[in-house]
Amino acid sequence: MTTKTPEVSPEARFAPRATPETQPYWDATAAGRLDLPRCRPCDQVFFYPRSSCPQCGSIDLEWVTCSGKGLLHTYVVSHRPAPGFPVPTVIAVVELEEGPRMMTNLVDADPETLELDMPVEVRFEQRTGAAVPVFAPVPENAGKEVAR
Amino acid sequence: MSREVVIMGAAETDIGKLPTTSTLELHVEGARRALADANLSKDQVDGIASVSVPGPIQVSHALGITPTYVDGTGVGGSSFLFHVRHATAAIKAGYADVVLITHGESGRSRVGAPPYPRANDSVMAQFEMPYGIVGPPTSFTVPARRFLHETDNTLEQLAEVAVAQRRWASRNPRAMFRDEVTVDDVLGAKMIADPFTLLMCCLVTDGGGALVVASREFAEAHGSDKPLVHILGTGEAATTPLISQMEDMTRCKQFTLSSQAAFKESGTSPADIDHLMIYDAFAHVPLYGLEDMGFVGRGESGAFVADGHTSPGGRLPMNTNGGGMSYTHTGMYGMFAIQESVRQLRGEAAAQVDDVSTSLVLGNGGMFMSAATLILANQP
Ligand SMILES: [Zn+2]
């Protein structure tokens, strides 16, 4: 049996298409921002974008720009190549600083050195017609530099 | 005065690799066998339930049945447990006397089956598929690392689930994989989605099966001499279509909700259950099920399995056909879990357990998306 090396190219990867209620999310990622809806009555930011608050049902929502910072909540290291993805690929759930969790990839990271709850930050990966948010580990001294 | 409801017929088709049998034909063949098992003719059936593909109308028309009760609930692999629950309610309400529930899926050979959906604007396509997810092995597995981290369960104990179930499969001539394995074999198998190796994932097969659900009164007046399986309690629940949106990645809320409803309705508790089927799409799912339904305490499921309590000779025999990881998994395993409970309660299972009078089936649909629980017994 021969092992096929997949074409590793973000452009070749699965590209999502927005629906009217998610269009602002994808417009923001194209501009390099991670925007999510916030419920005014609850003061909760939620994922994924919907037309009403999943907690209280209110339609009194606004879009907020997230910090892009979060923690690695859980992950698997996939050895099954999807078209355009490297082997292995880290498929992860990140808990955003604002509260909600989202599925993503962890990039620029050695799968052997990952630890749950390590700090990560958002990046945007270009696909055909969309920019997809992925996350990378925050360099260890990054926080200290900010603190100084 | 509520009518008692029973499973009066249950049968599977051949399973495994069936490249010359279509999806529809698997439903039809399962239905014919289940009707024969119940000693009924198709004309005695007034209710039909099946998932959306090929759908209850194609199945009933192919069989020559004109149903006056139809259920097309399609919520993943647990759909057939939902069908049993809905049929029970319909029969109690007088909407139907005999409901035929069918499953068939050409999961491996893909004969007469639609291609996997690739819409790129669904919620799943927008928020999960862009990350290199290749079906359930790379999404259903994602919560497990958090589960192991927050509980006392270990990776070796995760492997023990596959080991325990293979012990049962080795006693079942119909199981696809029958050689016993060790923890080292499981951990050393081909890596799929670290920490999940091939032996911690379900297999993919073709197959089908069907159930005949009826009022006890009807079954006693018209059926075969096979023992009746009594439906004591049922429950259902659903949470999120996206696994990343589970409220808590270390617990499956619908396992708890659906089992609590079934325990309450049946007046039983985990201590009353002799035999257990937990839909094991992947090795971690039975661990969630054992904990979320209250069979063991938080973090105790791995040791419970590793100590042999779910294995042959153990005090809570679980997944006694070999489960979705060793017996068969067409893509929607729930029908096969129910079938094994029926066989155990009738005393006709390949790996028969002594003195089974109550059996619980926990079905899972999608990736921790939906669940239903059935509590079945050989006495009313
Ligand atoms: Zn709200």
Side-chain angles (χ1 to χ4, degrees):
Chain A
M1 194 187 257
T2 55
T3 306
K4 273 190 281 183
T5 304
E7 180 197 355
V8 179
S9 151
E11 278 288 317
R13 295 173 194 178
F14 183 86
R17 188 157 59 96
T19 45
E21 70 276 18
T22 65
Q23 190 69 54
Y25 173 87
W26 292 111
D27 288 346
T29 62
R33 300 190 319 271
L34 185 63
D35 287 6
L36 286 178
R38 188 185 75 92
C39 174
R40 287 195 179 95
C42 293
D43 194 28
Q44 290 259 4
V45 176
F46 59 88
F47 185 91
Y48 49 98
R50 278 159 279 184
S51 58
S52 57
C53 168
Q55 183 162 282
C56 74
S58 171
I59 58 168
D60 183 10
L61 310 177
E62 63 179 348
W63 287 88
V64 296
T65 298
C66 297
S67 69
K69 295 187 189 306
L71 302 175
L72 177 58
H73 193 66
T74 189
Y75 67 97
V76 293
V77 185
S78 172
H79 291 251
R80 288 163 58 100
F85 281 84
V87 180
T89 293
V90 180
I91 299 171
V93 171
V94 162
E95 184 170 285
L96 299 173
E97 196 169 62
E98 292 77 11
R101 298 191 193 115
M102 60 186 287
M103 190 73 86
T104 191
N105 291 134
L106 209 65
V107 300
D108 287 343
D110 175 1
E112 299 295 318
T113 64
L114 300 179
E115 283 180 33
L116 296 191
D117 298 320
M118 68 190 281
V120 296
E121 63 190 6
V122 76
R123 308 218 182 143
F124 296 92
E125 195 176 86
Q126 198 57 46
R127 308 283 169 92
T128 307
V132 169
V134 298
F135 286 78
V138 177
E140 267 181 36
N141 54 1
K144 291 172 196 162
E145 283 173 11
V146 170
R148 272 204 305 266
Chain B
M1 191 61 69
S2 166
R3 300 167 90 185
E4 286 177 34
V5 180
V6 298
I7 297 172
M8 64 179 296
E12 294 176 3
T13 67
D14 293 348
I15 53 175
K17 297 175 193 174
L18 306 167
T20 61
T21 311
S22 74
T23 301
L24 177 60
E25 183 54 27
L26 290 166
H27 282 260
V28 167
E29 176 63 15
R32 275 199 298 261
R33 291 190 191 191
L35 287 171
D37 183 67
N39 195 31
L40 293 185
S41 79
K42 68 176 180 63
D43 295 334
Q44 290 170 288
V45 175
D46 58 356
I48 184 96
S50 197
V51 288
S52 47
V53 177
I57 299 171
Q58 277 200 57
V59 172
S60 55
H61 189 257
L63 285 162
I65 291 169
T66 305
T68 52
Y69 166 81
V70 180
D71 181 5
T73 303
V75 287
S78 62
S79 297
F80 314 100
L81 288 86
F82 282 71
H83 296 156
V84 170
R85 185 170 206 252
H86 301 170
T88 301
I91 291 164
K92 284 183 176 176
Y95 296 163
D97 284 324
V98 180
V99 178
L100 178 64
I101 301 169
T102 70
H103 167 60
E105 189 167 7
S106 182
R108 187 180 190 99
S109 305
R110 313 294 305 164
V111 186
Y116 288 113
R118 296 292 290 177
N120 64 354
D121 58 0
S122 69
V123 168
M124 191 173 288
Q126 290 188 63
F127 301 110
E128 297 207 331
M129 283 164 56
Y131 299 109
I133 286 169
V134 189
T138 42
S139 55
F140 209 161
T141 51
V142 171
R145 197 172 243 111
R146 190 80 205 178
F147 174 76
L148 297 179
H149 179 75
E150 288 192 16
T151 63
D152 290 332
N153 297 304
T154 66
L155 182 59
E156 287 69 27
Q157 289 168 344
L158 188 64
E160 291 275 11
V161 177
V163 171
Q165 295 194 189
R166 195 60 74 82
R167 290 184 187 125
W168 288 112
S170 74
R171 290 156 167 80
N172 186 353
R174 276 170 63 89
M176 187 132 171
F177 294 137
R178 293 195 294 271
D179 293 334
E180 288 204 28
V181 292
T182 65
V183 167
D184 285 346
D185 292 335
V186 175
L187 294 178
K190 184 184 170 196
M191 190 59 80
I192 301 295
D194 191 343
F196 285 78
T197 66
L198 186 65
L199 295 185
M200 298 173 181
C201 303
C202 57
L203 45 94
V204 184
T205 61
D206 306 321
L211 301 165
V212 180
V213 178
S215 68
R216 180 185 176 188
E217 191 181 16
F218 180 94
E220 286 176 345
H222 300 285
S224 69
D225 295 329
K226 291 279 185 78
L228 298 178
V229 170
H230 300 262
I231 300 167
L232 300 189
T234 64
E236 69 185 67
T239 52
T240 169
L242 300 181
I243 196 162
S244 64
Q245 301 307 304
M246 286 172 76
E247 201 172 280
D248 178 345
M249 299 236 127
T250 71
R251 292 178 172 90
C252 181
K253 189 175 186 176
Q254 58 271 31
F255 286 1
T256 303
L257 293 174
S258 70
S259 62
Q260 281 175 349
F263 283 128
K264 187 178 176 193
E265 186 181 12
S266 63
T268 64
S269 72
D272 300 313
I273 303 300
D274 300 328
H275 170 257
L276 184 58
M277 296 298 291
I278 297 182
Y279 192 122
D280 59 322
F282 295 89
H284 60 319
V285 184
L287 300 182
Y288 280 71
L290 286 165
E291 296 188 11
D292 296 335
M293 292 195 293
F295 282 94
V296 299
R298 172 80 165 161
E300 295 172 358
S301 58
F304 188 76
V305 171
D307 290 345
H309 296 307
T310 65
S311 288
R315 62 182 151 104
L316 185 62
M318 179 175 80
N319 297 346
T320 50
N321 57 356
M325 291 191 289
S326 292
Y327 176 66
T328 206
H329 196 307
T330 54
M332 287 182 283
Y333 170 74
M335 174 60 77
F336 301 99
I338 304 168
Q339 295 279 343
E340 175 65 6
S341 280
V342 169
R343 289 191 291 262
Q344 289 286 348
L345 288 163
R346 286 174 163 187
E348 59 185 32
Q352 182 65 43
V353 176
D354 293 338
D355 304 322
V356 177
S357 56
T358 54
S359 176
L360 183 147
V361 194
L362 174 66
N364 171 81
M367 275 55 87
F368 287 131
M369 175 181 88
S370 74
T373 302
L374 306 179
I375 296 176
L376 307 175
N378 60 6
Q379 298 293 324

